[in-house]
Amino acid sequence: FLRINRLLVEREHARRHRIESEQRYRTLADSGQALIWGADTDTGRTYFNKVWLEFTGRTLEQEEGFGWAEGVHPEDYQRCVEIYEKAFDERRRFSMDYRLRRHDGEYRWIQDDGCPRFDSEGHFIGYIGFCLDITERKTAIAALQESELLFRKLFEDISSVAVQGY
C-alpha cells in the first residue's frame, strides 16, 4: 500500500511539474515582441504564440498547417517556401526576411529564424522559430542607400568640383 501511495505521489508531482513547465514556457513565449511558431515533422505549423496571433489578427485554427503562408506577400511567397522546405529537408537552421500581412492589412518586413528540434534520442521532431518585425530597419537601410545614390549622382554630375587629397 505504501509503495502504491508513493507512486501516486510521484506521478502527481511529475504532472504538476509538467504543468508548471508549460505555463512557464507560455509566459515566456507570450511576453516579448517575437512572433513564435512551432512545426511538426511534415512542415505543417502546429503552434503560434499570442504575439503572432495578435500581429496577424487570425486564429490558431486559421494559421495552423500552412494557413500562416496566406499572409506572406505574393512577391516573397515562392522564395520563402523554398528556403523553408530546403532547410526542413536538410534539418538545418534558416534565417530569411519576407513581408507578412499584419492584422490591419499592412505588409511588414519580418526576419524569420527557424531551428530544428530533436528529442532526447536524437530523432527529429520538428522546428521552432521566431520572427521579429524589422520594417524600420529595412526602411532606414533603403533611405540610406537612396541618400548615397543621390550624393554619388550629385558628385558625378558636378564637373567643376576639384577633389584633392593630402
Side-chain angles (χ1 to χ4, degrees), residues 6 13 32 40-41 46 52 64 66 68 77 82 87 90 93 99 105 124 127 136 141 154 161 166:
R6 186 170 8 119
H13 178 69
D40 57 20
T41 57
T46 57
W52 177 291
E64 283 181 322
F66 298 95
W68 66 273
Y77 180 82
E82 287 172 5
E90 297 173 1
R93 292 176 168 264
R99 290 164 287 182
F124 175 69
Y127 265 76
E136 282 73 25
I141 289 170
L154 284 171
V161 173
Y166 293 95

Side-chain angles (χ1 to χ4, degrees), residues 108-119:
R108 304 286 292 181
W109 280 101
I110 63 166
Q111 177 180 326
D112 188 346
D113 294 301
C115 180
R117 295 178 50 228
F118 300 91
D119 66 15

